[in-house]
Amino acid sequence: MTVKLDFTDPDYFRDVPARLERLRAAGPIVKTRFPIIGTVWITTTYEMAGRVLKDSKNFTLRKDGQVVGLRWWMPRILRGLADNMLTMDEPDHTRLRGIVDEAFRRRAILDMEPRILALADTLAADLFADGSPADLVARYARALPLAVICELLGLPVEDRGKFMGWANTIGRVRGPISFLRMLRGLSAMRPFLEERLQAARADGGEGLIAELVRVEKEGGRISRDEMVAMVFLLLAAGSETTTHLISGSVYELLTRPRLRAWLEEDWTRANLAIEEFLRFVSPVQFSKPRHVRKDIELGGVELKAGDKIMVMIGAANMDPSANDAPETLDLERHPNRHIAFGTGIHFCLGYQLARLEGKCALKALFGRWPNLALAVPPDEIAYRPHGGLKAIETLPVVA
Ligand code: HEM
């Protein structure tokens, strides 16, 4: 049986517990349809999510060397950029992850806190520079992660506007037309990234791009195409996702005065709170699709070799068997069993950075604007019709 659920319905996020209950009642793995991807199995529980993501014997991100979800008719530009670490199996994944792991190690990221807080503070100060109400998504939640990842990569400040435009088209794919729009964005982005890598080859420089060039010069560990795809992955994975963690958390705080007061009373509580926002918002709702390698029985269904399967992270994080009263936003929740960053070998590279950005974003924003409020009734806030992300479209605020 194929379960009919429209994950691109903007109203989906208004009614999550009821819809998930229906979905879970159909079993831990159900068959559904997704735009672009087509017919696909999805997991509905926390336990099943872990089983699939940690099992690279039975599930692969490739089929005959091709990335799952990509079709023969998709242009070369997309195939080139999609050929990145997130869509690779071992041993290529291990080789590429080893190159960037060092830059994202805990100490290096924690050392960035003062800089991230300063960036957040500057953006918060400018929030109403073009008038009030201001759209918190465009002016803050999207700008901060992009500024941070551009700095980390060593990309010039002037180029951030361009990236914001491209990132916007990537996050909006829901059907053929928006897909074509994204391809246009990607076609412009690829030569730009190649140019930046070329400049680093010639002049060196600071940041992760220069670091990749250093590794390239040592020889053998990374190809030119893999370098472009890596920078693309870091930009794409590092910006859109954190944007929606920030906007989703701000929305929840603006609509829940008691929780906001609790957090504002003591910002050392922010680490705990961010963990719960990650679970409750689940900015990334689905993992990348995997292919079933061989016929297997899992969760009461027969999966056939070649079938596609995605982990529904949003459902795992709302599973009552993992956390009590999952539909309650409890900023003091501990332990908090969530897989907002995935699990297994593709566990998010940027998890520490995202947590830190989320924390700094809330602290700078509410510190600067203690009277910050929504400019419209909460039920007018709309989610993007995009099945993969839980993304608030615009968040008009006043101070
Ligand atoms: C709240 C923010 C974020 C969320 C919710 C998130 C979520 C995820 C998830 C669920 C995956 C695994 C996908 C899968 O297995 O199919 C992933 C992978 C990844 N994320 Fe994040 N992410 C966030 C922020 C970031 C940031 C700031 C970066 C920084 C560069 C980043 C870089 C990556 C990379 C490179 C991968 C692929 C890792 C691999 O294949 O080994 N993410 N992320």
Side-chain angles (χ1 to χ4, degrees), residues 86 93 97 237-238 241 287-288 290 313 340-342 345-346 348 350 354:
L86 178 53
H93 172 266
R97 176 104 186 197
T241 48
S287 74
K288 284 265 165 291
R290 270 89 171 148
I313 294 172
F341 293 121
I345 64 164
H346 293 283
C348 179

Side-chain angles (χ1 to χ4, degrees), residues 53 85-86 93 97 104 149 233-234 237-238 241-242 245 278 283-284 287-288 290 313 340-342 345-350 353-354 357:
L53 290 179
M85 164 173 89
L86 178 53
H93 172 266
R97 176 104 186 197
F104 283 85
I149 196 73
L233 171 66
L234 294 175
T241 48
T242 317
L245 171 67
L278 279 161
V284 176
S287 74
K288 284 265 165 291
R290 270 89 171 148
I313 294 172
F341 293 121
I345 64 164
H346 293 283
F347 180 72
C348 179
L349 175 73
L353 184 60
E357 285 181 42

Side-chain angles (χ1 to χ4, degrees), residues 89-110:
D89 296 327
E90 294 132 320
D92 285 328
H93 172 266
T94 324
R95 169 175 58 83
L96 293 172
R97 176 104 186 197
I99 293 172
V100 283
D101 257 344
E102 180 62 15
F104 283 85
R105 72 184 196 283
R106 188 176 154 75
R107 204 51 272 153
I109 296 300
L110 292 186

Side-chain angles (χ1 to χ4, degrees), residues 84 86 146 149 153 163 166-167 170-171 186 189 193 229-243 389:
N84 61 49
L86 178 53
L146 202 71
I149 196 73
L153 287 167
F163 280 116
W166 294 328
I170 297 169
L186 293 182
M189 195 165 171
L193 295 179
M230 176 69 87
V231 178
F232 167 74
L233 171 66
L234 294 175
L235 271 166
S239 48
E240 260 311 277
T241 48
T242 317
T243 296
L389 294 174

Side-chain angles (χ1 to χ4, degrees), residues 17-150:
R19 293 192 193 211
L20 285 183
E21 204 178 305
R22 236 181 308 142
L23 190 63
R24 219 172 276 123
I29 302 186
V30 297
K31 199 188 257 181
T32 185
R33 278 192 66 77
F34 240 71
I36 310 289
I37 292 169
T39 301
V40 58
W41 295 98
I42 58 172
T43 66
T44 67
T45 64
Y46 180 86
E47 200 258 338
M48 196 51 78
R51 278 175 71 178
V52 172
L53 290 179
K54 287 179 185 158
D55 181 353
S56 37
K57 269 207 196 84
N58 285 308
F59 305 105
T60 164
L61 282 141
R62 302 267 155 159
K63 192 190 176 199
D64 307 327
Q66 285 271 2
V67 178
V68 178
L70 282 185
R71 308 279 174 81
W72 61 268
W73 48 265
M74 293 180 185
R76 225 177 66 81
I77 179 98
L78 182 63
R79 279 184 268 142
L81 294 174
D83 224 348
N84 61 49
M85 164 173 89
L86 178 53
T87 61
M88 283 180 188
D89 296 327
E90 294 132 320
D92 285 328
H93 172 266
T94 324
R95 169 175 58 83
L96 293 172
R97 176 104 186 197
I99 293 172
V100 283
D101 257 344
E102 180 62 15
F104 283 85
R105 72 184 196 283
R106 188 176 154 75
R107 204 51 272 153
I109 296 300
L110 292 186
D111 285 350
M112 291 176 73
E113 181 161 358
R115 180 66 194 136
I116 296 175
L117 200 52
L119 283 169
D121 199 44
T122 307
L123 289 168
D126 283 350
L127 186 58
F128 299 103
D130 286 343
S132 174
D135 174 18
L136 189 115
V137 177
R139 296 195 65 95
Y140 194 71
R142 181 160 297 122
L144 179 65
L146 202 71
V148 171
I149 196 73
C150 282

